[in-house]
Amino acid sequence: MWGDGALGYSVMEFDTYKRHGVNVIGLCGNDACWGQIERDQTTWLGDPVSNVLEYSPYEKIAQALGGEGLCISSPKEDIKQYINTAQNIVKANGKSVLLNVLLGKSSFRDGSISV
């Protein structure tokens, strides 16, 4: 499991998974924001500059690296169905799968301290 900021640093691991035959199902909670930094920066400095991002199509990166990717872009979509699809891909094709779940902004962790 990753947030989109963390996955940006480690998405290349899908290449490693392919090269070593390690098949994983990864999930990215993608809110198009470096939320942990933005939360304090906006509060303290009044500006979220450099933290509000566009949604990255990480599912396409996983595909380019030899895996499969699925994008879940609506809260009306059934995530259980996507997880089942991912499991079937791993079993049938021997490929890792990345679920890129597009999220909206939330106040999750307001008041917590970033370290």
Side-chain angles (χ1 to χ4, degrees):
M1 294 181 94
W2 298 271
D4 53 320
L7 185 61
Y9 287 104
S10 60
V11 71
M12 287 301 294
E13 292 301 336
F14 277 83
D15 179 66
T16 304
Y17 304 149
K18 175 68 176 173
R19 290 173 186 257
H20 293 282
V22 177
N23 301 315
V24 302
I25 297 173
L27 185 134
C28 176
N30 188 344
D31 66 355
C33 183
W34 288 332
Q36 184 175 4
I37 305 302
E38 183 274 332
R39 182 187 63 236
D40 291 338
Q41 180 176 314
T42 300
T43 300
W44 297 341
L45 304 175
D47 193 332
V49 68
S50 299
N51 291 297
V52 178
L53 313 168
E54 293 183 17
Y55 288 102
S56 294
Y58 288 117
E59 72 281 0
K60 293 179 182 179
I61 298 170
Q63 291 169 353
L65 296 171
E68 291 290 335
L70 303 170
C71 183
I72 305 166
S73 59
S74 169
K76 295 181 181 180
E77 295 182 76
D78 183 6
I79 194 162
K80 289 179 185 177
Q81 179 181 345
Y82 280 89
I83 292 169
N84 288 336
T85 299
Q87 290 171 328
N88 290 335
I89 291 169
V90 169
K91 288 177 190 173
N93 301 327
K95 292 184 175 184
S96 292
V97 180
L98 177 64
L99 301 173
N100 186 17
V101 183
L102 306 186
L103 307 172
K105 186 166 173 57
S106 76
S107 60
F108 176 68
R109 296 187 65 202
D110 272 356
S112 63
I113 298 172
S114 299
V115 278

